[in-house]
């Protein structure tokens, strides 16, 4: 029993130590970011975003880009996506909505909010954002499928089926739409 208690105590201490190292690394990175030139910051934020490996650093770099007003619409979009990938859905949606205010024709922002709303079971909101995305890219089969999927769950079967058929008309290889259509 004492060995188990000792092991748990050591494990807790190690986790605490590990967290303090991570916090120190983040503070050091924030300090570094605040001192670099705009062009370097944009380049660094691009590399971090594309690597998709260090979400905390990516978020910090993109927040600094937004703060400095650097490529603000794109920086907000990427910040929103990074938050979502980091499990911070609400923050992600907020940033994507800010990106839309700056760039009202930002298809990807509308599309991503539609997808995220579906994931968090906000199906009506999902349909709304997918429809806005379709206003920008009316021939996007993935939007029609996203609407169909949300409507299927909302028990709007007739409309769901019609949107599935529209998705397949645009892209006969849309396997997800084919599978959903089989459920009717």
């Amino acid at each position: 029993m004492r060995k188990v208690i000792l092991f748990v105590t050591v494990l807790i201490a190690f986790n605490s130590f590990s967290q303090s190292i991570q916090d120190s690394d983040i503070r050091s990175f924030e300090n570094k970011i605040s001192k670099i030139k705009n062009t370097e910051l944009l380049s660094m934020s691009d590399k971090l975003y594309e690597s998709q490996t260090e979400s905390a650093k990516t978020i910090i770099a993109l927040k600094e880009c937004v703060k400095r007003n650097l490529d603000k619409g794109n920086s907000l979009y990427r910040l929103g996506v990074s938050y979502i990938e980091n499990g911070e859905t609400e923050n992600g949606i907020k940033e994507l909505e800010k990106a839309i205010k700056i760039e009202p024709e930002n298809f990807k922002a509308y599309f991503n909010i539609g997808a995220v709303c579906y994931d968090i079971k906000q199906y009506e909101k999902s349909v709304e954002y997918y429809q806005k995305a379709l206003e920008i890219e009316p021939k996007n089969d993935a939007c029609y499928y996203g609407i169909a999927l949300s409507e299927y769950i909302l028990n709007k079967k007739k409309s769901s089926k019609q949107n599935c058929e529209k998705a397949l008309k645009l892209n006969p290889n849309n396997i997800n739409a084919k599978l959903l259509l089989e459920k009717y």
Side-chain angles (χ1 to χ4, degrees), residues 21-22 24-30 32-33 43-63 78-79 81-88:
I21 289 174
Q22 286 177 333
S24 174
D25 286 347
I26 294 299
R27 282 191 299 278
S28 172
F29 184 74
E30 286 173 332
K32 176 183 175 183
I33 287 290
S43 176
M44 178 185 287
S45 67
D46 284 346
K47 288 176 185 171
L48 285 167
Y49 181 80
E50 296 301 325
S51 75
Q52 297 182 339
T53 57
E54 299 186 70
S55 60
K57 288 183 178 181
T58 303
I59 289 169
I60 291 166
L62 289 168
K63 283 171 75 173
R78 288 178 166 206
L79 180 58
V81 170
S82 296
Y83 272 130
I84 291 165
E85 289 173 348
N86 199 42
E88 299 177 58

Side-chain angles (χ1 to χ4, degrees), residues 66-81:
V66 170
K67 179 179 167 185
R68 294 186 194 182
N69 210 20
L70 303 175
D71 194 15
K72 195 167 184 178
N74 189 47
S75 293
L76 283 166
Y77 169 77
R78 288 178 166 206
L79 180 58
V81 170

